[in-house]
Amino acid sequence: MVFLHGGYWRTLTSKEFSFVARGLVAQGATVIIPTYALCPAVTIDEIVRQHRAAVTWAYNHAADFGADPKRLVVTGHSAGAHGVAMVLATDWENDYGLPPDIIRGACAISGLFDLQPLPYTFVQPYLQLTWDQILRNSPILNLPKFAPPLLVTRGGKQTSEFLRQSDDFYAAWKSSGLPGEYWIQPECNHFDELFPLTKSDSELTNKIIQLAIG
């Protein structure tokens, strides 16, 4: 599993999210948590490119860790879930010379899928979004023609905008005929919804393992 961390594209590194590997590793998974460059030093375009490069590296080097590249799952939280959705829209064959189906399954946890409201929020001074970047990097506006199964999940105690983002994206995903599941963790907020990944027997851990198994 490749896990893409959150932080509104402007803060945090893989170190703060190492705990998400515990439950999955206990079940025999290999977990890679890449760090990526942050805004405003780079743009969201560059962050998406780095996500795609990280997934490419994981696929090409999976066997080095005793992992099966045919069971690659990409998971992300918040801004990282945005990365998951963008990765699923990648043209692996033409842009990276890889099979078109290198990702077996994906999990987007409380993601940001519609960037159009962001210029009017506190993150704009850091992100410096332009409208061409917004349109290019809003997953809800750039759904793939085909994709592996996607688990969209969110806590039930999210703010209204995070609720809308997941609700609307999953509705658009299904309307496009893409495979997926929508699952709510009713008692979780934006932060503690990741804690089940510390347990090998949690429902979230098991759902991600199932995505790999297919």
Side-chain angles (χ1 to χ4, degrees), residues 189-202:
N189 61 39
H190 193 66
F191 302 100
D192 59 19
E193 61 191 352
L194 288 178
F195 293 162
L197 290 175
T198 64
K199 301 176 181 179
S200 63
D201 59 349
S202 73

PDB file of all heavy atoms in Angstrom, residues 189-202:
ATOM      1  N   ASN A 189     -14.091  11.877  13.570  1.00  0.00           N
ATOM      2  CA  ASN A 189     -13.901  13.201  12.985  1.00  0.00           C
ATOM      3  C   ASN A 189     -12.754  13.143  11.978  1.00  0.00           C
ATOM      4  O   ASN A 189     -12.273  12.060  11.630  1.00  0.00           O
ATOM      5  CB  ASN A 189     -13.670  14.249  14.076  1.00  0.00           C
ATOM      6  CG  ASN A 189     -12.436  13.964  14.911  1.00  0.00           C
ATOM      7  OD1 ASN A 189     -11.401  13.522  14.413  1.00  0.00           O
ATOM      8  ND2 ASN A 189     -12.522  14.215  16.204  1.00  0.00           N
ATOM      9  N   HIS A 190     -12.284  14.310  11.543  1.00  0.00           N
ATOM     10  CA  HIS A 190     -11.295  14.350  10.464  1.00  0.00           C
ATOM     11  C   HIS A 190      -9.941  13.768  10.870  1.00  0.00           C
ATOM     12  O   HIS A 190      -9.137  13.424  10.010  1.00  0.00           O
ATOM     13  CB  HIS A 190     -11.104  15.800  10.001  1.00  0.00           C
ATOM     14  CG  HIS A 190     -10.357  15.913   8.715  1.00  0.00           C
ATOM     15  ND1 HIS A 190     -10.847  15.461   7.509  1.00  0.00           N
ATOM     16  CD2 HIS A 190      -9.137  16.441   8.425  1.00  0.00           C
ATOM     17  CE1 HIS A 190      -9.976  15.697   6.553  1.00  0.00           C
ATOM     18  NE2 HIS A 190      -8.933  16.294   7.075  1.00  0.00           N
ATOM     19  N   PHE A 191      -9.695  13.662  12.151  1.00  0.00           N
ATOM     20  CA  PHE A 191      -8.378  13.209  12.607  1.00  0.00           C
ATOM     21  C   PHE A 191      -8.388  11.775  13.117  1.00  0.00           C
ATOM     22  O   PHE A 191      -7.522  10.977  12.765  1.00  0.00           O
ATOM     23  CB  PHE A 191      -7.844  14.171  13.669  1.00  0.00           C
ATOM     24  CG  PHE A 191      -7.742  15.584  13.172  1.00  0.00           C
ATOM     25  CD1 PHE A 191      -8.708  16.519  13.485  1.00  0.00           C
ATOM     26  CD2 PHE A 191      -6.693  15.964  12.350  1.00  0.00           C
ATOM     27  CE1 PHE A 191      -8.634  17.820  13.001  1.00  0.00           C
ATOM     28  CE2 PHE A 191      -6.603  17.262  11.854  1.00  0.00           C
ATOM     29  CZ  PHE A 191      -7.578  18.187  12.185  1.00  0.00           C
ATOM     30  N   ASP A 192      -9.400  11.440  13.946  1.00  0.00           N
ATOM     31  CA  ASP A 192      -9.363  10.093  14.519  1.00  0.00           C
ATOM     32  C   ASP A 192      -9.866   9.015  13.556  1.00  0.00           C
ATOM     33  O   ASP A 192      -9.794   7.829  13.865  1.00  0.00           O
ATOM     34  CB  ASP A 192     -10.121  10.027  15.848  1.00  0.00           C
ATOM     35  CG  ASP A 192     -11.582  10.413  15.749  1.00  0.00           C
ATOM     36  OD1 ASP A 192     -12.142  10.392  14.639  1.00  0.00           O
ATOM     37  OD2 ASP A 192     -12.171  10.741  16.803  1.00  0.00           O
ATOM     38  N   GLU A 193     -10.327   9.405  12.363  1.00  0.00           N
ATOM     39  CA  GLU A 193     -10.784   8.398  11.412  1.00  0.00           C
ATOM     40  C   GLU A 193      -9.634   7.541  10.875  1.00  0.00           C
ATOM     41  O   GLU A 193      -9.867   6.487  10.288  1.00  0.00           O
ATOM     42  CB  GLU A 193     -11.533   9.052  10.258  1.00  0.00           C
ATOM     43  CG  GLU A 193     -10.711  10.021   9.441  1.00  0.00           C
ATOM     44  CD  GLU A 193     -11.561  10.845   8.480  1.00  0.00           C
ATOM     45  OE1 GLU A 193     -12.761  10.546   8.355  1.00  0.00           O
ATOM     46  OE2 GLU A 193     -11.032  11.780   7.864  1.00  0.00           O
ATOM     47  N   LEU A 194      -8.395   7.974  11.086  1.00  0.00           N
ATOM     48  CA  LEU A 194      -7.236   7.175  10.673  1.00  0.00           C
ATOM     49  C   LEU A 194      -6.809   6.159  11.731  1.00  0.00           C
ATOM     50  O   LEU A 194      -6.105   5.199  11.418  1.00  0.00           O
ATOM     51  CB  LEU A 194      -6.051   8.088  10.358  1.00  0.00           C
ATOM     52  CG  LEU A 194      -6.119   8.919   9.089  1.00  0.00           C
ATOM     53  CD1 LEU A 194      -4.885   9.801   8.975  1.00  0.00           C
ATOM     54  CD2 LEU A 194      -6.235   8.018   7.867  1.00  0.00           C
ATOM     55  N   PHE A 195      -7.222   6.353  12.972  1.00  0.00           N
ATOM     56  CA  PHE A 195      -6.736   5.510  14.060  1.00  0.00           C
ATOM     57  C   PHE A 195      -7.068   4.029  13.892  1.00  0.00           C
ATOM     58  O   PHE A 195      -6.294   3.174  14.355  1.00  0.00           O
ATOM     59  CB  PHE A 195      -7.246   6.018  15.404  1.00  0.00           C
ATOM     60  CG  PHE A 195      -6.684   7.364  15.799  1.00  0.00           C
ATOM     61  CD1 PHE A 195      -7.295   8.127  16.769  1.00  0.00           C
ATOM     62  CD2 PHE A 195      -5.543   7.867  15.196  1.00  0.00           C
ATOM     63  CE1 PHE A 195      -6.786   9.369  17.136  1.00  0.00           C
ATOM     64  CE2 PHE A 195      -5.015   9.103  15.548  1.00  0.00           C
ATOM     65  CZ  PHE A 195      -5.647   9.857  16.522  1.00  0.00           C
ATOM     66  N   PRO A 196      -8.175   3.652  13.249  1.00  0.00           N
ATOM     67  CA  PRO A 196      -8.411   2.215  13.043  1.00  0.00           C
ATOM     68  C   PRO A 196      -7.296   1.506  12.278  1.00  0.00           C
ATOM     69  O   PRO A 196      -7.154   0.286  12.385  1.00  0.00           O
ATOM     70  CB  PRO A 196      -9.731   2.192  12.263  1.00  0.00           C
ATOM     71  CG  PRO A 196     -10.439   3.426  12.701  1.00  0.00           C
ATOM     72  CD  PRO A 196      -9.349   4.452  12.853  1.00  0.00           C
ATOM     73  N   LEU A 197      -6.505   2.267  11.509  1.00  0.00           N
ATOM     74  CA  LEU A 197      -5.402   1.639  10.777  1.00  0.00           C
ATOM     75  C   LEU A 197      -4.296   1.148  11.697  1.00  0.00           C
ATOM     76  O   LEU A 197      -3.414   0.407  11.258  1.00  0.00           O
ATOM     77  CB  LEU A 197      -4.839   2.615   9.748  1.00  0.00           C
ATOM     78  CG  LEU A 197      -5.741   2.914   8.550  1.00  0.00           C
ATOM     79  CD1 LEU A 197      -5.118   3.981   7.662  1.00  0.00           C
ATOM     80  CD2 LEU A 197      -6.020   1.649   7.746  1.00  0.00           C
ATOM     81  N   THR A 198      -4.326   1.532  12.957  1.00  0.00           N
ATOM     82  CA  THR A 198      -3.327   1.021  13.908  1.00  0.00           C
ATOM     83  C   THR A 198      -3.668  -0.393  14.365  1.00  0.00           C
ATOM     84  O   THR A 198      -2.841  -1.047  15.001  1.00  0.00           O
ATOM     85  CB  THR A 198      -3.221   1.926  15.146  1.00  0.00           C
ATOM     86  OG1 THR A 198      -4.464   1.904  15.861  1.00  0.00           O
ATOM     87  CG2 THR A 198      -2.891   3.350  14.747  1.00  0.00           C
ATOM     88  N   LYS A 199      -4.869  -0.861  14.033  1.00  0.00           N
ATOM     89  CA  LYS A 199      -5.320  -2.175  14.507  1.00  0.00           C
ATOM     90  C   LYS A 199      -5.470  -3.134  13.328  1.00  0.00           C
ATOM     91  O   LYS A 199      -6.086  -2.820  12.326  1.00  0.00           O
ATOM     92  CB  LYS A 199      -6.660  -2.031  15.229  1.00  0.00           C
ATOM     93  CG  LYS A 199      -6.600  -1.094  16.431  1.00  0.00           C
ATOM     94  CD  LYS A 199      -7.970  -0.916  17.059  1.00  0.00           C
ATOM     95  CE  LYS A 199      -7.898   0.046  18.246  1.00  0.00           C
ATOM     96  NZ  LYS A 199      -9.240   0.260  18.858  1.00  0.00           N
ATOM     97  N   SER A 200      -4.922  -4.328  13.499  1.00  0.00           N
ATOM     98  CA  SER A 200      -4.950  -5.305  12.413  1.00  0.00           C
ATOM     99  C   SER A 200      -6.343  -5.864  12.154  1.00  0.00           C
ATOM    100  O   SER A 200      -6.622  -6.369  11.065  1.00  0.00           O
ATOM    101  CB  SER A 200      -3.993  -6.463  12.722  1.00  0.00           C
ATOM    102  OG  SER A 200      -4.405  -7.156  13.891  1.00  0.00           O
ATOM    103  N   ASP A 201      -7.227  -5.785  13.166  1.00  0.00           N
ATOM    104  CA  ASP A 201      -8.552  -6.375  13.012  1.00  0.00           C
ATOM    105  C   ASP A 201      -9.653  -5.335  12.816  1.00  0.00           C
ATOM    106  O   ASP A 201     -10.838  -5.651  12.905  1.00  0.00           O
ATOM    107  CB  ASP A 201      -8.893  -7.247  14.224  1.00  0.00           C
ATOM    108  CG  ASP A 201      -8.884  -6.470  15.542  1.00  0.00           C
ATOM    109  OD1 ASP A 201      -8.417  -5.306  15.545  1.00  0.00           O
ATOM    110  OD2 ASP A 201      -9.340  -7.019  16.563  1.00  0.00           O
ATOM    111  N   SER A 202      -9.289  -4.075  12.540  1.00  0.00           N
ATOM    112  CA  SER A 202     -10.315  -3.046  12.357  1.00  0.00           C
ATOM    113  C   SER A 202     -10.986  -3.209  10.996  1.00  0.00           C
ATOM    114  O   SER A 202     -10.427  -3.796  10.056  1.00  0.00           O
ATOM    115  CB  SER A 202      -9.704  -1.653  12.463  1.00  0.00           C
ATOM    116  OG  SER A 202      -8.939  -1.350  11.307  1.00  0.00           O
TER     117      SER A 202
END
